[in-house]
Amino acid sequence: MRPPVHRLEVLSRVTPLGVRFRDESTGALVGDGLQVSAFPEGQPRLRRASIVNRSGVHVLMDLPGLRDLEYGGQGVPPGDAGDAAWWASLPARKPFTVEVEDAMGRFLPCSFRAELPFPGLFQLTCPGLPPAPPLSGPPAVPLFSAPTRVSGGPLAVLRAELWDADAQAPAAWACVEATPAGGTPARGVTDAQGRLALFFPYPEPVDFPPGPIEDPDALPPGPPLLEQTWALQVRVFYARRTPVPARPDLCDTLSQPSSWAWTDTDSSVELLEPTLRYGQELVLKTQDAPRSRLWITSTGSLP
């Protein structure tokens, strides 16, 4: 008979930040290949890098100023670290900056602010941010495709080189939203040079003409897949940044004001309505503009 086991000591540790990342184009979770780090706001020299667990969650520990909280040391609320009572009586959280780079070049760099420690998986919330398209699964921070990314599947591709017509400079970190008729918006972001690669699933094929169907058997078949086309509505959201950041804040990026795009060098509109064709990349540009750029006009600026 085995002797009874006596528990002498229990050591619990709280992880200040656990965060997942999601490919905005496909909805797939992304773990490998990302370089994630965090530091107290305004103190990048105190940066700490993440580790990735088996579930693809980036975990950040040993963060400056939070070590006592992690181990339940002096000044930490009583009770078991990490339980409901512990979180309820926790002192004021501390602001950290989290920065993300993709070593594999698939996604644009970005940053976001987090009040730590954060209970559970991190959820990005931005004041004034329009609601994102509904997504299933655990909370995850979105990642946006780099312009050099190559599609790994049958995805629609929208490309453009956005140009700030007022500043005569690339429209860095602009947000572009493309919506098929009756479909879900897809979002993309330009890089520091204003280059955009927006990948999204093709809309459903068009099988029948619009309107009521009285005799389905009398309808001709829809066009072949390679001849399918869809009308899109495209909006650009942009505010000029001075200076241009190396890693833009995600909340700033996703809550920029609507801007005007130039259809030609003499006229601009708030809504572009191009046609998407199956199997062909859609390139947006201002007619007669140099270097096939898409001119846009900023309606605001960010510090």
Side-chain angles (χ1 to χ4, degrees), residues 17-20 31 51-59 121:
L17 178 62
V19 57
R20 287 181 187 262
I51 59 173
V52 188
N53 66 18
R54 294 181 179 179
S55 300
V57 177
H58 281 260
V59 177
L121 287 173

Side-chain angles (χ1 to χ4, degrees), residues 73-166:
Q74 184 177 4
V76 177
D80 293 332
D83 66 11
W86 187 90
W87 283 106
S89 55
L90 191 68
R93 293 171 174 80
K94 299 183 178 181
F96 277 72
T97 298
V98 182
E99 294 186 342
V100 185
E101 297 272 355
D102 180 18
M104 300 173 66
R106 301 160 296 176
F107 303 105
L108 296 171
C110 65
S111 67
F112 55 89
R113 190 176 187 270
E115 298 282 343
L116 302 182
F118 190 94
L121 287 173
F122 181 75
Q123 177 77 56
L124 180 68
T125 56
C126 306
L129 177 64
L135 292 166
S136 59
V141 172
L143 297 174
F144 294 92
S145 297
T148 53
R149 183 181 180 183
V150 177
S151 173
L155 295 174
V157 185
L158 187 156
R159 294 188 184 273
E161 183 180 348
L162 274 63
W163 184 255
D164 185 331
D166 292 333

Side-chain angles (χ1 to χ4, degrees), residues 11 24 32 41 50 53 93 96 177 180 197 203 212 226 263 296:
L11 177 63
E24 181 76 2
D32 294 339
E41 201 166 57
S50 72
N53 66 18
R93 293 171 174 80
F96 277 72
E177 184 179 273
L226 293 178
T263 54
I296 65 171

